[in-house]
Short mmCIF file of all heavy atoms in Angstrom, two decimals:
data_model
loop_
_atom_site.label_atom_id
_atom_site.label_comp_id
_atom_site.label_asym_id
_atom_site.label_seq_id
_atom_site.Cartn_x
_atom_site.Cartn_y
_atom_site.Cartn_z
N LEU A 184 3.89 -5.59 0.88
CA LEU A 184 4.21 -7.01 0.99
C LEU A 184 5.72 -7.16 1.04
O LEU A 184 6.43 -6.72 0.12
CB LEU A 184 3.62 -7.77 -0.20
CG LEU A 184 3.59 -9.31 -0.20
CD1 LEU A 184 4.95 -9.94 -0.44
CD2 LEU A 184 2.98 -9.85 1.09
N TYR A 185 6.21 -7.75 2.14
CA TYR A 185 7.63 -8.09 2.25
C TYR A 185 7.81 -9.54 1.85
O TYR A 185 7.05 -10.42 2.27
CB TYR A 185 8.12 -7.91 3.69
CG TYR A 185 9.49 -8.52 3.92
CD1 TYR A 185 10.64 -7.79 3.66
CD2 TYR A 185 9.61 -9.85 4.35
CE1 TYR A 185 11.89 -8.37 3.84
CE2 TYR A 185 10.87 -10.42 4.54
CZ TYR A 185 12.00 -9.69 4.27
OH TYR A 185 13.24 -10.26 4.44
N HIS A 186 8.86 -9.81 1.05
CA HIS A 186 9.18 -11.19 0.72
C HIS A 186 10.67 -11.30 0.39
O HIS A 186 11.16 -10.68 -0.56
CB HIS A 186 8.35 -11.69 -0.47
CG HIS A 186 8.68 -13.12 -0.84
ND1 HIS A 186 8.36 -14.19 -0.04
CD2 HIS A 186 9.31 -13.63 -1.93
CE1 HIS A 186 8.78 -15.30 -0.61
NE2 HIS A 186 9.36 -15.00 -1.76
N ASP A 187 11.37 -12.06 1.23
CA ASP A 187 12.74 -12.48 0.93
C ASP A 187 13.64 -11.30 0.52
O ASP A 187 14.34 -11.35 -0.48
CB ASP A 187 12.73 -13.55 -0.16
CG ASP A 187 14.05 -14.30 -0.23
OD1 ASP A 187 14.79 -14.30 0.76
OD2 ASP A 187 14.34 -14.89 -1.30
N GLY A 188 13.59 -10.22 1.32
CA GLY A 188 14.49 -9.10 1.07
C GLY A 188 13.95 -8.02 0.17
O GLY A 188 14.65 -7.03 -0.07
N TRP A 189 12.74 -8.19 -0.33
CA TRP A 189 12.12 -7.17 -1.17
C TRP A 189 10.85 -6.65 -0.49
O TRP A 189 10.20 -7.37 0.25
CB TRP A 189 11.74 -7.74 -2.54
CG TRP A 189 12.91 -8.09 -3.41
CD1 TRP A 189 13.65 -9.22 -3.37
CD2 TRP A 189 13.46 -7.28 -4.45
NE1 TRP A 189 14.63 -9.19 -4.33
CE2 TRP A 189 14.55 -8.00 -5.02
CE3 TRP A 189 13.17 -6.02 -4.99
CZ2 TRP A 189 15.31 -7.51 -6.07
CZ3 TRP A 189 13.92 -5.53 -6.04
CH2 TRP A 189 14.98 -6.27 -6.56
N MET A 190 10.52 -5.40 -0.78
CA MET A 190 9.32 -4.79 -0.20
C MET A 190 8.60 -4.00 -1.29
O MET A 190 9.14 -3.05 -1.85
CB MET A 190 9.71 -3.84 0.94
CG MET A 190 8.54 -3.23 1.66
SD MET A 190 8.07 -4.22 3.09
CE MET A 190 7.19 -3.01 4.07
N ALA A 191 7.39 -4.43 -1.59
CA ALA A 191 6.53 -3.69 -2.51
C ALA A 191 5.42 -3.06 -1.70
O ALA A 191 4.81 -3.71 -0.85
CB ALA A 191 5.95 -4.62 -3.58
N GLY A 192 5.15 -1.79 -1.95
CA GLY A 192 4.11 -1.11 -1.18
C GLY A 192 3.53 0.06 -1.93
O GLY A 192 4.11 0.55 -2.91
N THR A 193 2.41 0.53 -1.47
CA THR A 193 1.77 1.66 -2.12
C THR A 193 2.44 2.97 -1.71
O THR A 193 2.95 3.10 -0.59
CB THR A 193 0.28 1.73 -1.76
OG1 THR A 193 0.12 1.68 -0.34
CG2 THR A 193 -0.47 0.56 -2.38
N ALA A 194 2.45 3.92 -2.63
CA ALA A 194 2.91 5.26 -2.30
C ALA A 194 1.89 5.90 -1.35
O ALA A 194 0.71 5.58 -1.37
CB ALA A 194 3.05 6.09 -3.57
N VAL A 195 2.36 6.82 -0.53
CA VAL A 195 1.48 7.45 0.46
C VAL A 195 0.59 8.46 -0.24
O VAL A 195 1.07 9.41 -0.88
CB VAL A 195 2.29 8.12 1.58
CG1 VAL A 195 1.37 8.81 2.57
CG2 VAL A 195 3.16 7.07 2.28
N VAL A 196 -0.72 8.26 -0.11
CA VAL A 196 -1.71 9.12 -0.75
C VAL A 196 -2.26 10.15 0.23
O VAL A 196 -2.51 11.29 -0.14
CB VAL A 196 -2.84 8.26 -1.36
CG1 VAL A 196 -3.96 9.13 -1.90
CG2 VAL A 196 -2.29 7.35 -2.45
N ARG A 197 -2.47 9.73 1.48
CA ARG A 197 -2.96 10.64 2.51
C ARG A 197 -1.95 10.72 3.63
O ARG A 197 -1.71 9.75 4.34
CB ARG A 197 -4.30 10.15 3.08
CG ARG A 197 -4.85 11.03 4.20
CD ARG A 197 -6.01 10.37 4.92
NE ARG A 197 -5.65 9.13 5.57
CZ ARG A 197 -5.03 9.04 6.75
NH1 ARG A 197 -4.68 10.14 7.40
NH2 ARG A 197 -4.74 7.86 7.26
N PRO A 198 -1.30 11.89 3.83
CA PRO A 198 -0.36 12.01 4.95
C PRO A 198 -1.09 11.75 6.26
O PRO A 198 -2.27 12.10 6.41
CB PRO A 198 0.12 13.46 4.86
CG PRO A 198 -0.15 13.87 3.46
CD PRO A 198 -1.37 13.13 3.04
N PRO A 199 -0.42 11.17 7.25
CA PRO A 199 -1.10 10.78 8.48
C PRO A 199 -1.58 11.93 9.34
O PRO A 199 -2.35 11.71 10.28
CB PRO A 199 -0.05 9.94 9.22
CG PRO A 199 1.26 10.34 8.62
CD PRO A 199 0.98 10.69 7.21
N TRP A 200 -1.15 13.16 9.05
CA TRP A 200 -1.66 14.31 9.79
C TRP A 200 -2.90 14.89 9.12
O TRP A 200 -3.54 15.78 9.65
CB TRP A 200 -0.59 15.38 9.94
CG TRP A 200 0.11 15.70 8.65
CD1 TRP A 200 -0.29 16.56 7.68
CD2 TRP A 200 1.35 15.13 8.20
NE1 TRP A 200 0.61 16.58 6.65
CE2 TRP A 200 1.64 15.71 6.94
CE3 TRP A 200 2.24 14.20 8.72
CZ2 TRP A 200 2.77 15.37 6.20
CZ3 TRP A 200 3.37 13.87 8.00
CH2 TRP A 200 3.63 14.46 6.76
N ASP A 201 -3.25 14.37 7.95
CA ASP A 201 -4.47 14.79 7.25
C ASP A 201 -5.58 13.84 7.67
O ASP A 201 -5.76 12.76 7.10
CB ASP A 201 -4.23 14.73 5.73
CG ASP A 201 -5.48 15.12 4.93
OD1 ASP A 201 -6.47 15.55 5.55
OD2 ASP A 201 -5.45 14.97 3.70
N LEU A 202 -6.34 14.23 8.69
CA LEU A 202 -7.26 13.30 9.34
C LEU A 202 -8.68 13.34 8.79
O LEU A 202 -9.46 12.42 9.02
CB LEU A 202 -7.29 13.58 10.84
CG LEU A 202 -5.94 13.52 11.56
CD1 LEU A 202 -6.11 13.84 13.03
CD2 LEU A 202 -5.29 12.15 11.38
N LEU A 203 -9.04 14.41 8.08
CA LEU A 203 -10.43 14.58 7.70
C LEU A 203 -10.68 14.49 6.20
O LEU A 203 -11.82 14.66 5.77
CB LEU A 203 -10.95 15.93 8.21
CG LEU A 203 -11.53 15.95 9.62
CD1 LEU A 203 -11.94 17.36 10.00
CD2 LEU A 203 -12.71 15.01 9.76
N SER A 204 -9.65 14.22 5.40
CA SER A 204 -9.88 14.19 3.96
C SER A 204 -10.73 12.97 3.59
O SER A 204 -10.69 11.94 4.27
CB SER A 204 -8.55 14.14 3.21
OG SER A 204 -7.87 12.94 3.50
N PRO A 205 -11.51 13.07 2.52
CA PRO A 205 -12.36 11.95 2.12
C PRO A 205 -11.53 10.72 1.75
O PRO A 205 -10.36 10.82 1.37
CB PRO A 205 -13.11 12.49 0.89
CG PRO A 205 -12.99 13.98 0.98
CD PRO A 205 -11.68 14.24 1.65
N ALA A 206 -12.16 9.57 1.86
CA ALA A 206 -11.49 8.33 1.46
C ALA A 206 -11.25 8.33 -0.04
O ALA A 206 -12.02 8.91 -0.81
CB ALA A 206 -12.35 7.13 1.85
N ARG A 207 -10.17 7.68 -0.45
CA ARG A 207 -9.85 7.54 -1.86
C ARG A 207 -9.88 6.07 -2.23
O ARG A 207 -9.80 5.20 -1.37
CB ARG A 207 -8.47 8.14 -2.15
CG ARG A 207 -8.37 9.64 -1.90
CD ARG A 207 -6.94 10.13 -1.97
NE ARG A 207 -6.80 11.56 -1.89
CZ ARG A 207 -6.77 12.27 -0.77
NH1 ARG A 207 -6.86 11.63 0.39
NH2 ARG A 207 -6.63 13.57 -0.79
N ASP A 208 -9.98 5.82 -3.52
CA ASP A 208 -10.04 4.44 -4.00
C ASP A 208 -8.69 3.78 -3.79
O ASP A 208 -7.72 4.12 -4.46
CB ASP A 208 -10.41 4.43 -5.48
CG ASP A 208 -10.47 3.01 -6.05
OD1 ASP A 208 -10.35 2.05 -5.26
OD2 ASP A 208 -10.64 2.86 -7.27
N PRO A 209 -8.58 2.83 -2.87
CA PRO A 209 -7.26 2.23 -2.61
C PRO A 209 -6.72 1.44 -3.80
O PRO A 209 -5.50 1.24 -3.89
CB PRO A 209 -7.53 1.31 -1.40
CG PRO A 209 -8.99 1.07 -1.39
CD PRO A 209 -9.62 2.29 -1.98
N LEU A 210 -7.58 1.02 -4.69
CA LEU A 210 -7.11 0.28 -5.87
C LEU A 210 -6.36 1.19 -6.83
O LEU A 210 -5.64 0.71 -7.71
CB LEU A 210 -8.27 -0.40 -6.58
CG LEU A 210 -9.04 -1.43 -5.76
CD1 LEU A 210 -10.13 -2.07 -6.60
CD2 LEU A 210 -8.10 -2.50 -5.20
N ALA A 211 -6.53 2.51 -6.66
CA ALA A 211 -5.85 3.47 -7.54
C ALA A 211 -4.52 3.93 -6.97
O ALA A 211 -3.81 4.70 -7.62
CB ALA A 211 -6.76 4.66 -7.79
N PHE A 212 -4.14 3.48 -5.78
CA PHE A 212 -2.88 3.90 -5.19
C PHE A 212 -1.71 3.39 -6.03
O PHE A 212 -1.66 2.20 -6.37
CB PHE A 212 -2.72 3.35 -3.77
CG PHE A 212 -3.66 3.94 -2.74
CD1 PHE A 212 -4.66 4.82 -3.11
CD2 PHE A 212 -3.55 3.58 -1.42
CE1 PHE A 212 -5.54 5.35 -2.17
CE2 PHE A 212 -4.41 4.10 -0.46
CZ PHE A 212 -5.42 4.99 -0.85
N PRO A 213 -0.74 4.24 -6.38
CA PRO A 213 0.44 3.75 -7.10
C PRO A 213 1.33 2.91 -6.19
O PRO A 213 1.29 3.05 -4.96
CB PRO A 213 1.15 5.04 -7.53
CG PRO A 213 0.68 6.08 -6.56
CD PRO A 213 -0.71 5.70 -6.16
N TRP A 214 2.15 2.04 -6.79
CA TRP A 214 3.00 1.13 -6.03
C TRP A 214 4.47 1.52 -6.19
O TRP A 214 4.88 2.09 -7.20
CB TRP A 214 2.81 -0.31 -6.50
CG TRP A 214 1.57 -0.96 -5.97
CD1 TRP A 214 0.28 -0.70 -6.34
CD2 TRP A 214 1.50 -1.99 -4.97
NE1 TRP A 214 -0.59 -1.49 -5.63
CE2 TRP A 214 0.13 -2.30 -4.79
CE3 TRP A 214 2.44 -2.68 -4.21
CZ2 TRP A 214 -0.31 -3.26 -3.88
CZ3 TRP A 214 2.02 -3.64 -3.32
CH2 TRP A 214 0.65 -3.92 -3.15
N GLU A 215 5.24 1.16 -5.16
CA GLU A 215 6.69 1.35 -5.16
C GLU A 215 7.35 0.01 -4.85
O GLU A 215 6.69 -0.93 -4.36
CB GLU A 215 7.10 2.39 -4.12
CG GLU A 215 6.48 3.76 -4.34
CD GLU A 215 6.73 4.73 -3.20
OE1 GLU A 215 7.09 4.25 -2.09
OE2 GLU A 215 6.55 5.94 -3.39
N LEU A 216 8.64 -0.07 -5.11
CA LEU A 216 9.39 -1.31 -4.85
C LEU A 216 10.77 -0.96 -4.28
O LEU A 216 11.44 -0.06 -4.78
CB LEU A 216 9.56 -2.12 -6.15
CG LEU A 216 10.33 -3.43 -6.03
CD1 LEU A 216 9.53 -4.45 -5.22
CD2 LEU A 216 10.67 -3.98 -7.42
N TYR A 217 11.16 -1.70 -3.24
CA TYR A 217 12.45 -1.46 -2.59
C TYR A 217 13.20 -2.78 -2.44
O TYR A 217 12.62 -3.79 -2.04
CB TYR A 217 12.25 -0.80 -1.22
CG TYR A 217 11.59 0.54 -1.31
CD1 TYR A 217 10.21 0.67 -1.16
CD2 TYR A 217 12.34 1.69 -1.57
CE1 TYR A 217 9.60 1.91 -1.26
CE2 TYR A 217 11.74 2.93 -1.68
CZ TYR A 217 10.36 3.03 -1.52
OH TYR A 217 9.77 4.27 -1.63
N ASP A 218 14.49 -2.73 -2.76
CA ASP A 218 15.37 -3.88 -2.59
C ASP A 218 16.08 -3.72 -1.25
O ASP A 218 17.12 -3.07 -1.15
CB ASP A 218 16.38 -3.93 -3.75
CG ASP A 218 17.30 -5.15 -3.66
OD1 ASP A 218 17.19 -5.91 -2.67
OD2 ASP A 218 18.13 -5.32 -4.57
N LEU A 219 15.50 -4.32 -0.22
CA LEU A 219 16.00 -4.12 1.13
C LEU A 219 17.35 -4.78 1.37
O LEU A 219 18.04 -4.45 2.34
CB LEU A 219 14.98 -4.65 2.15
CG LEU A 219 13.58 -4.03 2.08
CD1 LEU A 219 12.67 -4.67 3.10
CD2 LEU A 219 13.63 -2.52 2.27
N ARG A 220 17.75 -5.66 0.49
CA ARG A 220 19.06 -6.31 0.63
C ARG A 220 20.18 -5.29 0.49
O ARG A 220 21.25 -5.43 1.09
CB ARG A 220 19.22 -7.40 -0.41
CG ARG A 220 18.15 -8.50 -0.33
CD ARG A 220 18.20 -9.37 -1.56
NE ARG A 220 18.04 -8.59 -2.79
CZ ARG A 220 18.18 -9.07 -4.02
NH1 ARG A 220 18.50 -10.36 -4.19
NH2 ARG A 220 18.03 -8.31 -5.06
N HIS A 221 19.92 -4.24 -0.32
CA HIS A 221 20.92 -3.21 -0.55
C HIS A 221 20.43 -1.81 -0.15
O HIS A 221 21.18 -0.84 -0.27
CB HIS A 221 21.31 -3.19 -2.04
CG HIS A 221 21.73 -4.53 -2.56
ND1 HIS A 221 20.93 -5.31 -3.37
CD2 HIS A 221 22.85 -5.26 -2.34
CE1 HIS A 221 21.56 -6.45 -3.65
NE2 HIS A 221 22.72 -6.44 -3.03
N ASP A 222 19.20 -1.74 0.29
CA ASP A 222 18.60 -0.44 0.63
C ASP A 222 17.74 -0.63 1.88
O ASP A 222 16.53 -0.75 1.82
CB ASP A 222 17.75 0.07 -0.55
CG ASP A 222 17.06 1.38 -0.27
OD1 ASP A 222 17.49 2.09 0.67
OD2 ASP A 222 16.07 1.71 -0.96
N TRP A 223 18.41 -0.64 3.02
CA TRP A 223 17.78 -1.02 4.29
C TRP A 223 16.70 -0.05 4.73
O TRP A 223 15.79 -0.41 5.47
CB TRP A 223 18.88 -1.11 5.35
CG TRP A 223 18.50 -1.84 6.60
CD1 TRP A 223 18.41 -3.19 6.78
CD2 TRP A 223 18.20 -1.24 7.86
NE1 TRP A 223 18.06 -3.47 8.08
CE2 TRP A 223 17.93 -2.29 8.77
CE3 TRP A 223 18.13 0.08 8.33
CZ2 TRP A 223 17.59 -2.06 10.10
CZ3 TRP A 223 17.80 0.31 9.65
CH2 TRP A 223 17.54 -0.75 10.52
N THR A 224 16.77 1.20 4.28
CA THR A 224 15.86 2.24 4.77
C THR A 224 14.78 2.62 3.76
O THR A 224 14.04 3.58 4.00
CB THR A 224 16.64 3.51 5.13
OG1 THR A 224 17.32 3.99 3.96
CG2 THR A 224 17.64 3.24 6.23
#
């Protein structure tokens, strides 16, 4: 979720080259937070 210069998102659980791994519970994904006003990348 982006809002007014901040970005909160889940940490990557399945790398995009891992195509066949079983699904995981998305509610268990850990979250991260980025202050895009000072950290553009």
Side-chain angles (χ1 to χ4, degrees):
L184 191 286
Y185 168 87
H186 179 69
D187 196 22
W189 292 82
M190 184 92 158
T193 52
V195 178
V196 174
R197 178 191 62 80
W200 48 85
D201 178 7
L202 303 179
L203 272 178
S204 64
R207 296 170 173 84
D208 179 6
L210 299 182
F212 291 5
W214 282 72
E215 300 171 343
L216 179 69
Y217 298 95
D218 183 357
L219 302 178
R220 301 168 304 173
H221 307 105
D222 178 19
W223 196 77
T224 60

